[in-house]
Amino acid sequence: MELQLEYYLILAAGLFCIGIYGLVTSRNVVRVLMSIELLLNAVNLNLIGFSSFVDPVEIKGQVFSVFVIIVAAAESAVGLAIILAIYRNRNTVDMERFNLLKW
Amino acid sequence: MSNVLNTIWLIPCYPLLGMGLSIFWSPGLSRRTGPRPAGYLNAFMTFLALLHSILAFAAIQNQSPEYFSVSWLDAASLQIDFEWSVSLTKTVALIVVTGLNLFAQIYAVAYLEMDWGWARFYSLLALFEAGICTLILTNSLFFSYVMLEILTLGTYLIIGYWFNQSLVVTGARDAFLTKRVGDLFLLMGVVALYPLAGTWNYQELTIWAETADLSPTAATLLSLALVAGPVGKCAQFPLHLWLDEAMEGPLPATILRNAVVVCTGAWLLILVQPIIAISPIGVTTTITIGAITAIGGSLIAIAQTDIKRILSYAVSAYLGLVFIAVGVGETQIALTLLLTYSIAMALLVMAIGNIVLSNVTQDVTLLGGLWSRRPITGLSYLVGVAAFTAVPPLGSFWTLFSLTDHLWTTQPWLAGVVLTVNGLTAFSLLRLFCLVFAGETKPMTVRSPEELWLMVLPTTVGAGFALHLPLFMANWELLPQTDNINSIPVFALMASSLVGIVSAVLVYGNNRPKLAFIPQAIKDFFAYDCYTVKAYQVTIVFVVNIVSRIIAWFDKYIVDGFVNLIGIVTMLSGQGLKYNNSGVAQFYMLSIIAGVALFGIILCFPFLV
């Protein structure tokens, strides 16, 4: 069985779906952040898959995924900082308690 | 002398001026001097109008009628001229109207002595005088209608003179609405006539009517509409209740209303007679309405106990005779009947007013035994009765005779109606006389002084005028020719009056009516005006009431409800949709993802299929 591009893409899409499910349903903020990482990894999988099958010479996708990993790390740092800031004010990491904008 | 005729338009202007000026003596404006000058001023203005009318009458002798016209409205293809004319008949009518108005105004000076509302009263009398004079002078059906409407409003205001009495308010309401209904039908006729005839001028209408080629339906509807106006104005069946309730108004106005105002409709009816005559159904309707009202009115008059209402039903009855005369085409007899009728009726009402003011009550069963102490009033009343019914040689005898003589050969049953009405009216008027003047004194009439000279004078002068009327009529060649008189109608007419008078005297002579053999139900039926109030209530008033309630309900709940529903839906949707704004960031993310996914599906849809 030859490994094909579609399998990578479907695997990435599945990962993306799981990430979105986790993003929407989790009540813990850290887990939301982890779900976002899952999403970014699904994207990276896409980029690398496309660069291996469609653009094996210049492999621009791999460069993009390097940038994505960098930005994901930065985003996690900022995200965790924001979570800490909220936690210090509200003493909780429950997503459903952060509803100041409720109607 | 022709200056008098050229300035005939001034006649309505005198009372109009008096009307305008008398406002200044209304209690709100002149707080110190009292309202009496308003009355004097208006009486003077009426006197001027009377003088002018008499001069015009003298000037028009042996002259052909003169016609005048002023453009009133000229818009596109419609040109309405204010047309008026002078003829011998019109000057006589002017003299009668201004003369009777002068009587009523002088009478009111005494009658309303204890009243503060002279400014309003006299200005309304002046409005009536001006309106009726204009109606007489105008030569255009359109402006006749305009005047009739103004008079309807005037009736409303003058019946509602003492508006703190509840019966006055309902009476004025009924008078306005009832006359208004007739007027509106008349308006339909007037408007429908213009495209057919192309003119509203009476002479041209008469010429047109002679050769008019109308479909029978159109002719019938047209003539019925033209009859409907006078039916309301003249208090004819079935629009007669208002005159009964109009008796709540001040008595001097009643003089004018009974004698003159109700004749305005008859005047119009006489003028449009050629158009009515086009349609046989219209003619039959006119005669039938007249006959029903004449018989019914005189029967109801017999059963009344209110002294003023006895007279008001006699008014309806005699105008019914005018309707009959117009229906059979005898306009000249109808005009003469109006002349003799007005003078006699004015005299009767003035005599009744003399009694009412000093005895307070209007109930004839509470009056009695006044003959020895009130001879002037009693004699005047008797003269009025003689002039009103067919008692030779006074006025109405000759006109009723002409009418009976004409009907005797052509439509005998109508001659029978005239004879019956004459007998019944003689009976009811003599019944009133016997109950009020004969018999024993009742508590209400123990002390009953004769009235102020200002009331007695117009009464006696009116009686004199009624006595001299045959001489005037002989002068104006209004008496029937004597050479070919059919003697049967003469004796029939005199016999009917005699039977009426003698039976009234026999029944009521000693003030104790012996009418026990008549069932109470029949007495009540006529005493309550054939239950017309009930009839109105269960028919027209009921239907209009129900329909307006339904429409009001529909408007309030369906029409308004629909518009409000839109508002409420918008409000509720705002209230409901705001819960989408849950405040949970994850929900927003879900919405974004769902939106993007949906958008992607829509974009990709052509490729997926």
Side-chain angles (χ1 to χ4, degrees):
Chain A
M1 188 186 78
E2 182 97 6
L3 277 177
Q4 292 173 353
L5 176 59
E6 282 83 359
Y7 300 155
Y8 291 97
L9 296 187
I10 289 167
L11 174 67
L15 199 60
F16 193 83
C17 288
I18 294 166
I20 282 178
Y21 178 77
L23 175 74
V24 172
T25 55
S26 309
R27 291 185 65 173
N28 192 317
V29 183
V30 181
R31 232 160 97 179
V32 172
L33 219 53
M34 287 160 69
S35 302
I36 293 173
E37 293 306 317
L38 224 53
L39 294 179
L40 290 167
N41 286 337
V43 171
N44 284 339
L45 211 54
N46 268 2
L47 287 172
I48 290 176
F50 274 114
S51 76
S52 304
F53 283 87
V54 181
D55 185 23
V57 181
E58 292 193 350
I59 49 171
K60 284 173 281 203
Q62 298 195 5
V63 179
F64 270 116
S65 64
V66 169
F67 276 105
V68 170
I69 291 164
I70 295 164
V71 173
E75 176 250 306
S76 310
V78 174
L80 280 170
I82 289 171
I83 291 167
L84 266 176
I86 294 176
Y87 180 76
R88 282 184 186 148
N89 281 320
R90 307 206 43 139
N91 269 331
T92 178
V93 286
D94 189 348
M95 275 298 276
E96 303 202 349
R97 305 285 297 275
F98 305 146
N99 52 3
L100 286 172
L101 285 177
K102 195 177 173 186
W103 55 83
Chain B
M1 223 31 186
S2 75
N3 269 344
V4 176
L5 296 180
N6 287 336
T7 56
I8 196 81
W9 53 270
L10 275 174
I11 290 183
C13 294
Y14 302 122
L16 268 185
L17 183 66
M19 178 185 99
L21 290 178
S22 52
I23 302 293
F24 292 111
W25 282 278
S26 50
L29 283 179
S30 70
R31 290 167 178 277
R32 287 176 182 276
T33 56
R36 300 185 72 91
Y40 305 148
L41 178 77
N42 270 299
F44 178 68
M45 287 298 172
T46 306
F47 177 70
L48 285 185
L50 176 62
L51 207 62
H52 197 146
S53 311
I54 293 173
L55 289 177
F57 173 71
I60 197 87
Q61 298 285 343
N62 310 318
Q63 263 197 44
S64 53
E66 292 201 27
Y67 298 96
F68 308 90
S69 175
V70 169
S71 177
W72 182 69
L73 177 82
D74 196 353
S77 60
L78 180 70
Q79 190 186 355
I80 301 179
D81 286 338
F82 187 75
E83 299 166 272
W84 72 98
S85 65
V86 203
S87 64
L88 192 61
T89 317
K90 291 193 172 189
T91 52
V92 172
L94 286 176
I95 291 175
V96 172
V97 169
T98 51
L100 289 181
N101 213 342
L102 188 61
F103 284 175
Q105 286 180 339
I106 293 173
Y107 194 89
V109 169
Y111 196 92
L112 294 180
E113 197 183 4
M114 301 294 185
D115 197 288
W116 273 91
W118 284 32
R120 207 149 45 86
F121 182 79
Y122 276 94
S123 58
L124 286 172
L125 276 195
L127 174 70
F128 269 106
E129 189 188 354
I132 296 166
C133 288
T134 317
L135 177 76
I136 289 168
L137 284 173
T138 188
N139 200 26
S140 147
L141 181 57
F142 180 77
F143 282 98
S144 296
Y145 173 75
V146 172
M147 287 307 135
L148 286 183
E149 284 290 21
I150 292 174
L151 291 178
T152 302
L153 176 66
T155 308
Y156 177 72
L157 295 173
I158 205 160
I159 296 172
Y161 177 61
W162 289 313
F163 50 78
N164 56 353
Q165 299 177 14
S166 58
L167 283 178
V168 163
V169 177
T170 54
R173 174 200 68 192
D174 291 351
F176 183 74
L177 293 179
T178 315
K179 290 174 83 169
R180 197 81 180 78
V181 167
D183 286 341
L184 275 181
F185 279 109
L186 179 63
L187 179 63
M188 294 179 202
V190 170
V191 171
L193 192 58
Y194 196 73
L196 295 172
T199 175
W200 278 318
N201 180 297
Y202 283 121
Q203 275 76 35
E204 292 169 23
L205 281 177
T206 309
I207 295 168
W208 168 79
E210 281 165 8
T211 58
D213 185 24
L214 289 177
S215 74
T217 323
T220 305
L221 290 176
L222 185 63
S223 66
L224 286 183
L226 290 178
V227 170
V231 164
K233 278 281 165 193
C234 295
Q236 298 294 297
F237 181 83
L239 302 179
H240 60 283
L241 181 68
W242 72 267
L243 191 64
D244 174 286
E245 295 185 62
M247 294 300 121
E248 299 292 343
L251 195 131
T254 309
I255 300 174
L256 206 60
R257 177 167 48 252
N258 280 6
V260 182
V261 176
V262 288
C263 296
T264 54
W267 178 269
L268 183 83
L269 189 75
I270 291 168
L271 286 172
V272 297
Q273 189 270 337
I275 305 168
I276 295 171
I278 297 176
S279 155
I281 298 178
V283 168
T284 318
T285 313
T286 313
I287 294 175
T288 315
I289 289 175
I292 290 175
T293 317
I295 301 276
S298 44
L299 280 173
I300 294 167
I302 292 174
Q304 296 298 307
T305 54
D306 186 307
I307 197 165
K308 286 171 81 177
R309 284 176 166 79
I310 295 176
L311 292 184
S312 80
Y313 284 104
V315 168
S316 289
Y318 265 59
L319 286 166
L321 295 186
V322 174
F323 267 60
I324 292 176
V326 172
V328 298
E330 286 292 338
T331 51
Q332 191 57 44
I333 294 179
L335 276 174
T336 322
L337 189 59
L338 284 185
L339 171 73
T340 56
Y341 152 84
S342 313
I343 291 164
M345 181 43 87
L347 175 57
L348 287 174
V349 180
M350 285 195 282
I352 288 309
N354 286 348
I355 300 295
V356 170
L357 188 59
S358 57
N359 292 299
V360 183
T361 184
Q362 295 183 17
D363 191 338
V364 283
T365 59
L366 301 178
L367 294 165
L370 289 174
W371 175 253
S372 55
R373 285 161 299 146
R374 304 293 295 275
I376 302 175
T377 302
L379 276 172
S380 304
Y381 181 82
L382 281 183
V383 171
V385 174
F388 197 69
T389 54
V391 176
L394 294 179
S396 282
F397 172 74
W398 301 107
T399 46
L400 288 179
F401 162 68
S402 309
L403 188 58
T404 321
D405 191 35
H406 174 85
L407 296 171
W408 195 263
T409 47
T410 53
Q411 281 157 299
W413 70 276
L414 281 181
V417 169
V418 176
L419 293 178
T420 316
V421 170
N422 180 50
L424 290 174
T425 306
F427 182 85
S428 75
L429 292 182
L430 254 293
R431 164 181 175 265
L432 197 163
F433 179 83
C434 292
L435 288 177
V436 173
F437 290 97
E440 289 168 9
T441 307
K442 306 266 178 68
M444 295 297 281
T445 58
V446 172
R447 281 180 292 278
S448 179
E450 189 61 278
E451 290 299 344
L452 273 180
W453 64 275
L454 279 165
M455 285 171 73
V456 178
L457 184 74
T459 316
T460 45
V461 173
F465 204 69
L467 287 171
H468 285 82
L469 194 57
L471 295 179
F472 287 116
M473 288 168 70
N475 226 6
W476 302 336
E477 294 167 359
L478 287 174
L479 295 185
Q481 297 299 317
T482 45
D483 45 355
N484 55 354
I485 281 184
N486 187 352
S487 62
I488 305 173
V490 182
F491 290 118
L493 206 55
M494 288 198 283
S496 76
S497 304
L498 196 67
V499 167
I501 290 170
V502 170
S503 55
V505 171
L506 287 179
V507 175
Y508 293 98
N510 58 359
N511 221 344
R512 182 171 297 175
K514 305 176 263 306
L515 289 175
F517 63 91
I518 298 179
Q520 190 63 34
I522 293 179
K523 287 183 189 167
D524 282 349
F525 180 70
F526 288 115
Y528 289 104
D529 182 18
C530 309
Y531 302 111
T532 308
V533 181
K534 278 267 182 291
Y536 284 177
Q537 275 171 357
V538 301
T539 54
I540 299 293
V541 177
F542 178 76
V543 170
V544 173
N545 191 8
I546 287 290
V547 168
S548 41
R549 274 166 197 276
I550 289 172
I551 290 175
W553 181 88
F554 188 83
D555 196 41
K556 188 174 174 185
Y557 291 102
I558 307 293
V559 177
D560 285 6
F562 178 70
V563 177
N564 288 342
L565 182 69
I566 291 173
I568 288 170
V569 166
T570 316
M571 252 163 56
L572 286 183
S573 54
Q575 289 287 336
L577 288 173
K578 77 181 179 190
Y579 294 107
N580 289 334
N581 201 352
S582 59
V584 181
Q586 283 164 301
F587 185 78
Y588 303 153
M589 289 176 215
L590 179 64
S591 339
I592 291 167
I593 290 158
V596 169
L598 197 67
F599 185 65
I601 289 171
I602 291 172
L603 276 187
C604 300
F605 191 71
F607 306 106
L608 296 176
V609 176

